Amino acid sequence: MENTQYRQNKPNLTAKQQDQIIIAALILREGGTVAFPTETVYGLGADVTNPDAINKIYQIKQRPIDHPLIVHIGNISDLHYWAQAIPDSAWKLANHFWPGPLTLILQRSRHIPDSVTGGQDTVGLRIPAHPVALALLDALGPEKALAAPSANRFGRISPTTAAHVQEELGAAVGMILDGGACEVGLESTIISFHDQSPKILRPGGITLSALESVLDSPIMLAPNTSQTIRTSGSLPAHYSPATPLRIYSTEHLWDRALALAAQDLRVLVMTWSDISQSQPSNQSIEQFSMPADPITYGQQLYARLRQFDQAAFDYMIIETPPEHPSWLAITDRLQRASYNPFDNKQN
Ligand code: TXA
Ligand code: MG
């Protein structure tokens, strides 16, 4: 069973964590915001039923108001309450993968306010697989849920530790709950049931093949250009470090790095293959080897991009990930991180 790695046993929280969760629930009930850990990335949460609290999320993130938020729920039995006209295939996926890194886009019920969905008639729902997130949802009580985008400023790299959230949002957020480093490290897979057949809007923590094997049918990837459904993660520029980032094939990696170094630029080269063995020595180039499997690569990616972003390189050069479908989410995030609005003008 694919999902067992994400399922948690009975939450095993320290007394301190339990106390903090009680305080966090109070802050949320009073209309404040709380950043909390999930298995994917840290979320910036607010009470779904409180439009003022939801507004705070948009303000803190500097996120355009028409980009909907994912709603985090604690129990699968609550799915009826927040969504309606739920197809059998959506139930199948929810039963199989929740708690876990899968977001279902469904027709919203009357309990989801406009503020959460940007006025759309659909809502994104998921049960996060992190004991702190689940305990927080439990403490909030029945008929409550947490609207929570990733706890970063709009367009930036998602945080995978509490320290990253502090860097990103600092004092703007009511409280930051620390649940350690995120286990998955990349955002949830988003699948829409809005049309006749399910479509992946964002590849993520659950692979396409895992979804297809549960539904026993092929699933489409939505074209990024979709105008009808707004997915901020599908804008070209997203998940971006401030340092220019470029992706090159294994073959061209070092040529490009040397060409930049020749212009007196400091270059970070991030590889996953054995290429490091043929690395030319050059003072302006630093090489970093990432794991060659997508699970651990994904766990580390955002933390590494953040680290190298702070190390004042002029360029980050990334080795093209393998073309295997299990690398889809990583390739997607790297492509968005490498987007450069000036590229079109230059070429
Ligand atoms: O793993 C995750 O999904 C994390 C954790 C915190 O749960 N959350 C996350 O949220 O990545 P955010 O807001 O950074 O990305 C959510 C994406 C956005 O691109 C948003 O536009 C899309 O989900 N989304 C939310 N509701 C939607 C809807 N009703 N229709 C289409 N897209 C939706
Ligand atoms: Mg995000």
Side-chain angles (χ1 to χ4, degrees), residues 41-42 61 63 149-159 187 202 232-233 238-239:
V41 300
Y42 273 72
K61 276 195 64 119
R63 173 165 166 140
S150 50
N152 51 279
R153 278 169 298 126
F154 186 65
R156 305 274 302 153
I157 302 167
S158 298
E187 299 80 357
R202 179 177 72 184
S232 68
H238 220 74
Y239 312 106

Side-chain angles (χ1 to χ4, degrees), residues 50-318:
N50 184 336
D52 289 340
I54 299 301
N55 275 339
K56 285 185 190 161
I57 291 183
Y58 283 94
Q59 276 165 20
I60 293 171
K61 276 195 64 119
Q62 295 154 25
R63 173 165 166 140
I65 205 84
D66 61 348
H67 289 274
L69 306 178
I70 291 178
V71 173
H72 298 68
I73 63 175
N75 297 291
I76 204 159
S77 52
D78 298 341
L79 192 52
H80 285 300
Y81 184 81
W82 302 108
Q84 55 185 333
I86 304 166
D88 286 348
S89 45
W91 277 114
K92 236 182 181 172
L93 294 182
N95 277 311
H96 193 93
F97 292 107
W98 283 357
L102 181 70
T103 297
L104 305 177
I105 306 290
L106 297 164
Q107 202 175 316
R108 69 168 158 159
S109 76
R110 64 190 167 83
H111 298 115
I112 299 279
D114 279 345
S115 50
V116 172
T117 68
Q120 302 188 58
D121 60 359
T122 56
V123 62
L125 290 157
R126 84 177 191 100
I127 302 183
H130 193 292
V132 170
L134 291 173
L136 182 60
L137 285 161
D138 200 44
L140 264 182
E143 299 178 5
K144 290 281 183 196
L146 281 172
S150 50
N152 51 279
R153 278 169 298 126
F154 186 65
R156 305 274 302 153
I157 302 167
S158 298
T160 54
T161 67
H164 296 166
V165 180
Q166 181 65 38
E167 270 166 42
E168 281 284 326
L169 306 177
V173 39
M175 183 176 185
I176 301 173
L177 288 171
D178 192 343
C182 299
E183 198 187 330
V184 176
L186 298 173
E187 299 80 357
S188 61
T189 301
I190 302 181
I191 183 163
S192 171
F193 289 88
H194 193 43
D195 300 329
Q196 294 294 16
S197 52
K199 266 195 203 72
I200 304 280
L201 301 186
R202 179 177 72 184
I206 302 281
T207 61
L208 183 60
S209 62
L211 296 171
E212 287 177 333
S213 77
V214 170
L215 293 189
D216 203 15
S217 66
I219 302 173
M220 305 278 289
L221 283 170
N224 282 352
T225 48
S226 169
Q227 296 298 310
T228 48
I229 295 177
R230 287 177 295 259
T231 308
S232 68
S234 72
L235 291 174
H238 220 74
Y239 312 106
S240 305
T243 313
L245 185 154
R246 295 288 180 274
I247 307 168
Y248 293 116
S249 66
T250 309
E251 203 188 343
H252 296 298
L253 203 58
W254 291 109
D255 288 353
R256 307 304 305 205
L258 286 167
L260 290 167
Q263 297 170 48
D264 247 358
L265 297 168
R266 283 190 65 226
V267 186
L268 184 276
V269 179
M270 203 167 96
T271 60
W272 59 268
S273 69
D274 300 338
I275 182 89
S276 48
Q277 277 149 23
S278 56
Q279 172 198 357
S281 92
N282 184 301
Q283 277 188 350
S284 303
I285 302 176
E286 197 171 307
Q287 188 255 344
F288 184 84
S289 301
M290 287 289 279
D293 76 283
I295 305 279
T296 27
Y297 189 113
Q299 272 167 358
Q300 295 177 18
L301 177 62
Y302 287 160
R304 293 300 177 201
L305 291 182
R306 214 171 258 280
Q307 173 192 335
F308 297 135
D309 212 13
Q310 285 164 358
F313 288 102
D314 297 304
Y315 267 90
M316 288 194 227
I317 287 191
I318 315 269

Side-chain angles (χ1 to χ4, degrees), residues 7-20:
R7 285 193 191 273
Q8 307 284 330
N9 294 323
K10 281 258 174 285
N12 210 353
L13 302 172
T14 62
K16 188 178 166 206
Q17 279 177 316
Q18 288 176 24
D19 287 349
Q20 285 179 329

